[in-house]
Amino acid sequence: MYADLKFDEKGLIPTIVQDTQTRQVLMMAWMNAESLQKTIESGETWFWSRSRQELWHKGGTSGNTQKVSEVRYDCDADVLLVLVEPAGPACHTGEISCFYRKLVN
C-alpha cells in the first residue's frame, strides 16, 4: 500500500504535523508502516517512539488529540505531512507548537 514511500533502514519516516486551519507547523515525529496504518484507519495521529520503542497515540494520555484531515508525502517520498485539526496543544510543554523557540531571527 505504501510502495512509493521511502522508510529509512529502521522502517521509519519523518512526519511533519501541521494545523489544517492555520497552517502552523505543530510538531515533527516518526511513523512506521503500522503507525501510518493506524493513523489512516482511526483518523487520529499515531507515531513510533524511538526512545520507548513502541507506538503512541497523540493525545492518548493528555487528551490533546489530532484529527487527521489529509496525509501527503513529498516529491522524494521520504517525508510525510499530516494536516490535522488539533484538540489542544501539540507540545508536551503545553505550547501550541513544538517549534516555539527561535534560534535566529
Side-chain angles (χ1 to χ4, degrees), residues 19-61:
D19 187 305
T20 298
Q21 299 280 326
T22 67
R23 297 300 195 206
Q24 182 178 20
V25 173
L26 301 176
M27 59 184 285
M28 182 274 170
W30 296 91
M31 283 191 176
N32 62 11
E34 184 179 3
S35 63
L36 177 56
Q37 186 64 39
K38 287 178 93 56
T39 294
I40 292 167
E41 289 173 356
S42 72
E44 293 186 349
T45 53
W46 283 80
F47 302 101
W48 177 255
S49 171
R50 295 179 303 162
S51 59
R52 295 188 313 267
Q53 293 292 294
E54 65 183 15
L55 291 173
W56 61 281
H57 174 227
K58 177 65 178 142
T61 303

Side-chain angles (χ1 to χ4, degrees), residues 77-91:
D78 61 0
V79 178
L80 296 176
L81 174 65
V82 181
L83 298 164
V84 301
E85 296 173 23
C91 188

Side-chain angles (χ1 to χ4, degrees), residues 60-102:
T61 303
S62 67
N64 299 327
T65 57
Q66 298 171 335
K67 182 180 175 189
V68 176
S69 300
E70 196 172 340
V71 179
R72 300 179 182 194
Y73 59 100
D74 74 329
C75 56
D76 294 323
D78 61 0
V79 178
L80 296 176
L81 174 65
V82 181
L83 298 164
V84 301
E85 296 173 23
C91 188
H92 71 279
T93 65
E95 294 288 333
I96 297 295
S97 169
C98 293
F99 296 96
Y100 63 92
R101 299 183 290 182
K102 289 184 184 178

